[in-house]
Every structure is written in C-alpha cells, then in structure tokens.
Amino acid sequence: MERKEKKSHKIHLKDYTNRLEKVLEKKNFSLQTKNLLLSMFYKIENAYADYEKTKIEVYDKGDFLEDLIGIIEEDCKEIEIIKLELEGQQSYTIDKEKGKIILVGNEQVALTAILEIEQNLICIPEEEKILEKSITHFLNLGSKMHETEVIRDFNGWSWDAVIKEIEDIPVNLAYQNFLYLLGHEFMSEWIQNDSKLADYLMLAHEKLKNDFGEERAKKVIYLLCKLAIENLAKEDKEEQALWEKLKKENSRQLIKLNNKKDYLEEITKKKKEITKKIDTIDKMLNSEELLQKEYETRNEKLPNKEKIFSIRQLGNKLEIERQEYVDEMKQYNELIDPKGYVARKDEIEKRVEFLNILDFNKKADKRQTILNLCLLFLSCFQIKIAKSTSKQEIIDYFYILRYYRFLPFDEEGIKLKDIEKLQEIFEHTIELWLEKAYKLDAIDIVTDDYDVNYKIIRNLFDSKMIDLNHTVIETKIENGKLYAQYYDTNILETTCEIPSNKTVKLKKKTKLFV
C-alpha cells in the first residue's frame, strides 16, 4: 500500500476499532490473529499521545492508524501465529509475494512485520543506482524501528527504551539524526518514493544547505551514504565485493589520471579506434554490397531468436550504433579538453577519498562515525534553535533535545547524554535553548539569578516526565541547601539539590512553560 503523509480524510479515532473489525471480517484470519491485531491497535492508540509528545517528529495518529488498516487490508493475505520453540528462532517471517506473515503472538512483533511487508525498493536516479540497495535497506530499517517505537518504548504511562528489542542500534541512532535534520514529512516522502526521476539525495542536500549551510549539508549526506553502505555490506558479501571492486577501479583510474601523458595517449588511441568504427559504418551505409555482406555475417553468428530480419533493419541498427560512437567520441573530447581533464580528475579524487574511508569490518570506526554524526547534528540543532521564532517551536525543540539525549548509543545501554565527548556540546546547546526560550517568553523563571535558574531548568533535560506542560517547579531551602521539587501537576516526581553558594530570591512555585 502507498503510504501518504496527508490524507483526503481521516478516521475518527473512536472508530478505528470498527474500521479494523470490518476489514478483519473479510479476512480468513484465525480468531487468535484477529484478537492480536485488535490488541495491537489498542496498545498503539493508548501509547500514541505520549509517543507523539515525547518525540514530536511522528505521523499524525489518525494517519498512522489508517495506514495500518490499509496495509492489513491490501498487503496481508494471510497472518499465521506460531509458538516460539527454539532459542534464537526468528519472531516473524514474511513472504511478500504471497502476502503471508508467520509470527509469534506479540503485538510489537505484529506491528514490525506489518510495517515490513509494505516496504519496497526506494527508487534512485540512474546515476546513483549503485546506492539503491544500501539506501533502501538503511531507510526501511530505520523507519521500521522509528514507527514500532510507539509500542516498544511506550506503554501509556511511561517511556523507556527497551535496548534488547532495538533491531540495530547504530542504524536506529543514525536514522533519528536524519529524521530530526530533514523532518518526518521529508523522510516519509523519500521512503515512499517510487519515481526514478526524483533525486532525494540531491533534494536532501538542498534542504540541508538551506537550513545549515553547504559544508554541513555535504557532511550529513556523506555520513548518510557511508553508514548506509557499511551497514548493508556487513550483511551482504556481494554488496561488499561490489564496493571493494569499485574502490580498486577508481584507484586505477586515478593513477592513470595522475600520469597525464599516458592518460592523453590512451584517450587519443581510443578516439582513433572509434573514428575507424564510424568510418566502417559510413562505408556500409553507402554501399548495398557491403551492407548485404554485413547482414549475412551478423546473422551467421546470431541465434534464431535474435536474427536480423531485413537489410533495412540492419541499416537502422547501424545508424543507432553510429550515434552511440559519436556520443562516445564527444565524451572523450570533453575528457581530453583541459577543463574536462581537471573536472574528471577532481571527480575521481573525491570518489576515491570517499571509497577509501568505507570500513566493512572495524566496529570502532562505526562508533566514531556515529559519534561524528551526533556532533554534527548538535551543531545543526543549535542553528535550528537560533532560527526559532515561536513559543511552540522552541518548546518542541526542548522535547526533541531531551529525547535525543536519551537515545541509546550502543548495546550496553549507554545513552548519548552519558558520552563524555558530547557533554560540552550538549551543555552549550541547552544554554542556547534556554536563552532563546527566555527571548520568546516560552518559559517562566524561578529566579533572576541566571546560573541558579539554569541549573533548576537544566535538570528537566534529564527528566522522563512525558508532558511538561503540567510541570510545576517548587523551591525550598532546607539545612542551608537549595532544593528544586518537580511536580507533574500535584504529584511530586523528583527532588534535586541545586548547588549554589549565593542567597537568591526565589519564586515559591513556577510553571515551566508559559
């Protein structure tokens, strides 16, 4: 089913169960399967408000539920529930051609499988075709983890990343970076793209350039391609061999280009060969005798299915071949031109530089690449904060930055906020957010002392209270120490000591967002 960001109509959320039940009535699913799907929808609906509030860049809930109903109706012909019998056994399998899913009876597994059965190859323009499999694998996997998060990490009253159930932590983290840099709507349109004419890599570069400048845009696209290629290559040996071959071919080309004399001699030799071929075709086209002889010679070598039926057909084929040689000659003329030579050399050098940094084995390099992406993301996010113009926008950025800090970095459960190399840029980003929030009158102040106020509000970036619109901050002095108490409306969530050697004037109670 084609996924769309915006619908011509939306179901009323109270009716989604009825819609699903009507679809299930037409399906030859078991009662157990139907109950599992209804339970899955209940969990999504129950958790979606918290998921949307915490993450911001997500589908509208009505759109998401309607899409799921459409996938079940159009793409799922059979869903069979089995018991998990062996340790390490796959929790689901998919046969896309038959529209069949076999899975264990678990709502999260069901959602994952349903989202996956709808995924297709993401079209890439011909000149970037080599990236098609890598980009498709990366974006589809990242999108699937992003959308199943509503059940995986949210249960209707709390939010907690379940590390062991994240299919690929590096891809999940990388995808979240691109999601927040490019926006959910852009990423959704890219993943749904079925046109070879739409160059989303170029569109992504242009969007990033407009938002964050040329240098950052290039780095983001560079890291996206590197991570996508490396991720698929570690699983697909043929894909790895393809990139290794490309690396060797381009290295050889660069060696030739660096030896300008040999390079020009080789191009001149090829031009002479093409000129001879064009002359031969011209002679045949101007001589019935030579044309008849070529007709007989070619047909002797061709199998019956591929034989040329007439002299006229051969003439047409020769005209096409001649034009191909003329086009090839133009390309060689451009390459031998001084400007063309420099442009070609520059292109190959950049390609070799990129291919040489691809690493299909070292885990440490992958961690460093992800870390570089996070540093780049935060520098871009600082620009987003600086450009923000409304209260709602800066409040959304609070939630996004807080969510981002809690993203898992590795299988050990280390979160981004705990990584030492990110500490300084995180703190600077939070300071920038606070300054802009003040300017936009988006938050109330607890005290006129900036440092104390910063420390009090800073703690909320480490809080997992989901909806901070109801957050109230109350201060108190106890045994000469300053404490901040954080309430979700009237319920005390946590109390933190605020280090300060000053005597400051405090408000008794402060609502966080104005």
Side-chain angles (χ1 to χ4, degrees), residues 111-132:
L111 178 58
T112 305
I114 288 167
L115 290 170
E116 187 172 318
I117 202 169
E118 185 235 7
Q119 292 180 337
N120 295 301
L121 192 69
I122 297 169
C123 289
I124 300 285
E126 284 299 324
E127 58 270 23
E128 298 165 355
K129 193 73 174 177
I130 194 168
L131 289 165
E132 190 169 64

Side-chain angles (χ1 to χ4, degrees), residues 492-506:
L492 179 62
E493 292 286 341
T494 187
T495 300
C496 298
E497 182 183 349
I498 307 300
S500 176
N501 56 5
K502 304 176 184 176
T503 301
V504 294
K505 187 176 180 180
L506 300 162

Side-chain angles (χ1 to χ4, degrees), residues 293-329:
K293 187 176 180 181
E294 179 70 10
Y295 173 75
E296 292 170 359
T297 301
R298 291 198 182 195
N299 275 341
E300 282 177 7
K301 299 175 183 177
L302 293 172
N304 288 333
K305 290 190 294 184
E306 298 177 17
K307 286 188 184 297
I308 302 167
F309 296 115
S310 67
I311 298 290
R312 184 177 179 180
Q313 185 187 10
L314 174 60
N316 291 335
K317 286 177 70 70
L318 288 171
E319 290 283 4
I320 292 170
E321 289 174 13
R322 186 185 189 284
Q323 186 57 50
E324 288 174 350
Y325 287 133
V326 169
D327 292 340
E328 192 174 352
M329 180 68 82

Side-chain angles (χ1 to χ4, degrees), residues 92 108 112 134 137-146 148-149 152 162-176 227-235 363 366-367 370 407-411:
Y92 69 92
Q108 183 184 325
T112 305
S134 298
H137 181 263
F138 178 81
L139 293 182
N140 277 337
L141 178 56
S143 174
K144 183 177 64 175
M145 290 186 287
H146 161 56
T148 54
E149 189 178 346
R152 187 191 73 217
V162 185
I163 305 294
K164 64 179 181 179
E165 293 180 9
I166 300 176
E167 191 172 342
D168 190 313
I169 287 176
V171 171
N172 180 64
L173 177 52
Y175 184 85
Q176 306 302 335
L227 288 165
I229 292 166
E230 290 176 347
N231 186 261
L232 182 59
K234 75 179 181 184
E235 301 175 11
K363 186 177 179 181
K366 179 68 66 65
R367 289 169 65 95
I370 294 287
L407 281 170
F409 182 72
D410 57 24
E411 290 79 2

Side-chain angles (χ1 to χ4, degrees), residues 42 135 157 160 193-194 275 288 302 314 340 374 393 400 503:
Y42 171 77
I135 295 292
W157 59 85
D160 191 33
N193 176 49
D194 59 2
T275 300
E288 291 185 10
L302 293 172
L314 174 60
C374 292
E393 191 176 17
I400 290 170
T503 301

Side-chain angles (χ1 to χ4, degrees), residues 321-371:
E321 289 174 13
R322 186 185 189 284
Q323 186 57 50
E324 288 174 350
Y325 287 133
V326 169
D327 292 340
E328 192 174 352
M329 180 68 82
K330 287 179 181 177
Q331 290 177 9
Y332 283 128
N333 284 334
E334 289 173 4
L335 292 176
I336 210 168
D337 178 79
K339 288 182 180 179
Y341 169 79
V342 171
R344 175 68 173 164
K345 188 169 181 288
D346 184 55
E347 178 189 346
I348 297 297
E349 282 177 345
K350 288 178 180 177
R351 198 179 298 169
V352 168
E353 181 184 1
F354 174 75
L355 291 167
N356 283 339
I357 56 88
L358 293 179
D359 192 323
F360 304 119
N361 301 305
K362 295 178 183 177
K363 186 177 179 181
D365 182 72
K366 179 68 66 65
R367 289 169 65 95
Q368 185 58 50
T369 301
I370 294 287
L371 186 60

